[in-house]
Amino acid sequence: MPADPVGKARPRRGRPRGTSARQLEEIALRLFTEQGFHETTVDQIAAVAGVSRRTFFRYYDAKSDVLWNEFDSEVETIRELLAGSPEDLPVLEAVRRAVLAANHYRAEDVPELRMRMNLLSTVAELAASATRHYDAWERAVISFVARRTGQAEDSLYPLAVGRAVLATCRAAYERWSARADADLTVYLDAGLRALAAGFADEVIVGEPEGVV
Amino acid sequence: MPADPVGKARPRRGRPRGTSARQLEEIALRLFTEQGFHETTVDQIAAVAGVSRRTFFRYYDAKSDVLWNEFDSEVETIRELLAGSPEDLPVLEAVRRAVLAANHYRAEDVPELRMRMNLLSTVAELAASATRHYDAWERAVISFVARRTGQAEDSLYPLAVGRAVLATCRAAYERWSARADADLTVYLDAGLRALAAGFADEVIVGEPEGVV
DNA sequence: GCGAGTACTGTCACCCGGTGACAGAAGCGT
DNA sequence: ACGCTTCTGTCACCGGGTGACAGTACTCGC
């Protein structure tokens, strides 16, 4: 939660932190990939970071939250992109552009991103924890759709659109992390275009392996 | 797992069971609604059923699995309906019909169904557990789409279609369980038709509260 | 330099979900 | 009667997660 403004020097007041959310994430990612999620205990992660188990749970509410750090902070980007999109654009088109714009990563970050996503879609417990984190993401899309269509946020269509868009993106994330053949945005673009075309037979039969 | 064939009398061999998956589900549903999910311990459920905690975990792998009993057994229905659908039907149209056909409930079962779904979409931990159970459901759709489009099961489009269909159905389930104004199939139909139309603006702006 | 306040930290105790091992209970067939 | 089978309870144990509380290491004002 204390988002550590990187620009500021740090005229902090109390006792300095013994670690950071980011450091715990790096350690956890390494241990999870090396020896598995279940085989890694919170005590181990904390020990490597040089803090106590209790402190880990002050940075993350749950063991399964530790890989969602960056993702959580990207929701705001999507929200802003959607808010600033031209009014005459079809709803799904606006969403597609916002998602693509929010998913350009620096090449040096890609390997870590891929490992993280691999774990998130592979380990059952992590996949289950996704629900909570995708919630804010989903809500951003839902709010936008509700506003643009003049419907209530809790009515069927905005909810269905938000969920379906998220589901499509998750499919794209997953395929991208499993294969190593193209840019993430290519997968996202293909999936979202197909969604906007209603997954019509002519569209989804198109490419042999989707994208290459 | 022991699916207790209702038709058979029961010339069983060993010690008779002290309870049943169904009974545990009923007790759990009642306790969850009365006093909340977190506030209900497995010991309590087991105690009411007159068995030990260990026995509960022989019927269900986890506390959060106890409400998914019937849902899990409906996946086979969907799979069969999809397998028997005419070849000339568009993919999404076939899926829509199968889903609708599989979701006709007897009027007397509706109140319980609604309570269950309410909990499943309200309690965070239960919503998280959904992932595992929806997996088989999703896979049924994915296999069908893959077969019909001649693509591999692990390629992008079948995965995206399966996920998006599921997401839409979940939205329909959720809205239906929160409101009490129409048949479940009406919500499902509206959602899936909109999906097949690519959530085009003209479609989703249509009804004021989606369905009534 | 010194106390006050602040923001972290570790330790401890506890609950509960989940699991493996093993012995006991209660039915079946012969 | 006996063995086999199927279910059961007890026990011990692990790990995730939480509340309470004391301790530590800074900054600030004086």
Side-chain angles (χ1 to χ4, degrees), chain B residues 144-211:
Chain B
F144 172 73
V145 174
R147 184 175 62 77
R148 283 286 302 269
T149 64
Q151 299 190 41
E153 291 217 3
D154 64 342
S155 61
L156 176 63
Y157 287 131
L159 187 60
V161 174
R163 291 269 171 94
V165 167
L166 174 59
T168 305
C169 290
R170 291 185 66 177
Y173 283 138
E174 202 171 311
R175 291 313 306 148
W176 172 79
S177 77
R179 304 175 61 86
D181 50 7
D183 196 80
L184 170 58
T185 54
V186 174
Y187 280 88
L188 287 168
D189 191 54
L192 289 176
R193 281 186 191 279
L195 173 64
F199 292 120
D201 290 14
E202 314 82 61
V203 178
I204 62 178
V205 184
E207 295 103 315
E209 170 45 19
V211 279

Side-chain angles (χ1 to χ4, degrees), chain B:
Chain B
M1 300 89 178
D4 210 302
V6 192
K8 297 277 183 178
R10 61 150 66 186
R12 281 251 196 62
R13 279 252 278 189
R15 173 178 177 170
R17 327 198 123 179
T19 182
S20 68
R22 173 65 188 153
Q23 188 194 356
L24 289 174
E25 181 183 4
E26 285 175 351
I27 293 171
L29 179 59
R30 183 161 53 79
L31 292 179
F32 290 168
T33 51
E34 282 175 9
Q35 57 186 25
F37 178 80
H38 292 290
E39 290 70 26
T40 304
T41 66
V42 173
D43 296 77
Q44 282 181 50
I45 304 172
V48 174
V51 297
S52 72
R53 197 169 71 104
R54 192 66 182 85
T55 293
F56 175 93
F57 285 111
R58 290 201 179 95
Y59 284 84
Y60 293 102
D61 288 340
K63 177 188 176 186
S64 53
D65 282 354
V66 75
L67 297 185
W68 291 98
N69 199 20
E70 296 187 16
F71 181 90
D72 284 348
S73 54
E74 275 172 23
V75 172
E76 197 49 38
T77 308
I78 295 240
R79 195 184 305 276
E80 288 166 8
L81 285 169
L82 285 177
S85 91
E87 291 289 326
D88 57 340
L89 224 51
V91 171
L92 269 196
E93 176 68 16
V95 171
R96 204 192 90 242
R97 294 192 186 181
V99 170
L100 290 185
N103 277 281
H104 280 289
Y105 292 96
R106 294 179 306 177
E108 67 218 64
D109 294 338
V110 168
E112 185 191 319
L113 181 64
R114 196 185 295 272
M115 297 192 95
R116 222 167 49 220
M117 295 227 169
N118 235 332
L119 282 169
L120 292 177
S121 60
T122 295
V123 180
E125 196 167 339
L126 287 174
S129 79
T131 312
R132 184 158 16 107
H133 297 274
Y134 282 134
D135 199 63
W137 198 99
E138 198 177 284
R139 198 174 305 276
V141 176
I142 292 174
S143 305
F144 172 73
V145 174
R147 184 175 62 77
R148 283 286 302 269
T149 64
Q151 299 190 41
E153 291 217 3
D154 64 342
S155 61
L156 176 63
Y157 287 131
L159 187 60
V161 174
R163 291 269 171 94
V165 167
L166 174 59
T168 305
C169 290
R170 291 185 66 177
Y173 283 138
E174 202 171 311
R175 291 313 306 148
W176 172 79
S177 77
R179 304 175 61 86
D181 50 7
D183 196 80
L184 170 58
T185 54
V186 174
Y187 280 88
L188 287 168
D189 191 54
L192 289 176
R193 281 186 191 279
L195 173 64
F199 292 120
D201 290 14
E202 314 82 61
V203 178
I204 62 178
V205 184
E207 295 103 315
E209 170 45 19
V211 279
V212 177

